Amino acid sequence: MARLTMSYDRGDFDAALPEQTVGACLAEAVARQPGVDALVSRHQGIRETYAEFGQSVQTVARALMALGIRKGDRVGIWSPNCAEYAHVQFGCARTGAILVVINPAYRPRELEYALRQSGTRLLITAEAFKTSDYLAMI
């Protein structure tokens, strides 16, 4: 069996990679530029500054923890791109949960397989996408 090793490629530049979590990076951005746009979802008519986005992410992180999600737990998201997707993505990072991205085109059997294989504890989903009624499929 092949042995896994830690590695990364920093590219051809002189700046060092930051040793920082995604959550810490977001907190830094919020503190540095709270009034600057962080998220724009044109099709939803949503625009959030870094301060607003940071608050939305904090709300999601608290909700995940209230549901019993802890560091290392897997949280699935079955949704097309939307503002809520970004909130969940960063909320998971804030709590240390692992985000499991489920293809929005999956049918019920594919969804079931992905959830079982990944060990997803919680599934967050849109109601529907195109011709797929996610809630009915679940």
Side-chain angles (χ1 to χ4, degrees):
M1 181 188 316
R3 186 164 184 235
L4 298 177
T5 59
M6 296 293 291
S7 70
Y8 64 87
D9 183 8
R10 66 180 197 94
D12 189 22
F13 60 93
D14 293 328
L17 287 173
E19 297 291 330
Q20 186 177 46
T21 65
V22 171
C25 184
L26 177 59
E28 184 180 289
V30 169
R32 191 175 60 247
Q33 50 195 12
V36 174
D37 282 346
L39 175 112
V40 177
S41 177
R42 190 169 170 197
H43 72 282
Q44 292 178 286
I46 295 173
R47 178 178 233 100
E48 290 182 343
T49 64
Y50 273 97
E52 293 165 335
F53 182 71
Q55 184 57 50
S56 295
V57 167
Q58 185 66 17
T59 299
V60 169
R62 287 182 177 155
L64 291 170
M65 290 186 294
L67 290 169
I69 298 299
R70 300 291 178 252
K71 182 178 180 178
D73 286 342
R74 287 166 172 80
V75 175
I77 185 160
W78 192 25
S79 172
N81 288 335
C82 60
E84 296 83 2
Y85 190 108
H87 298 149
V88 169
Q89 182 176 11
F90 280 86
C92 284
R94 184 57 104 13
T95 62
I98 299 164
L99 185 65
V100 177
V101 178
I102 308 294
N103 185 330
Y106 274 2
R107 308 314 301 161
R109 294 190 81 182
E110 295 163 313
L111 171 66
E112 179 182 11
Y113 179 82
L115 294 176
R116 288 188 193 282
Q117 286 297 108
S118 65
T120 295
R121 285 198 58 215
L122 174 70
L123 177 64
I124 298 171
T125 181
E127 290 182 24
F129 176 61
K130 294 186 178 180
T131 60
S132 296
D133 182 344
Y134 290 159
L135 300 181
M137 284 194 262
I138 291 172

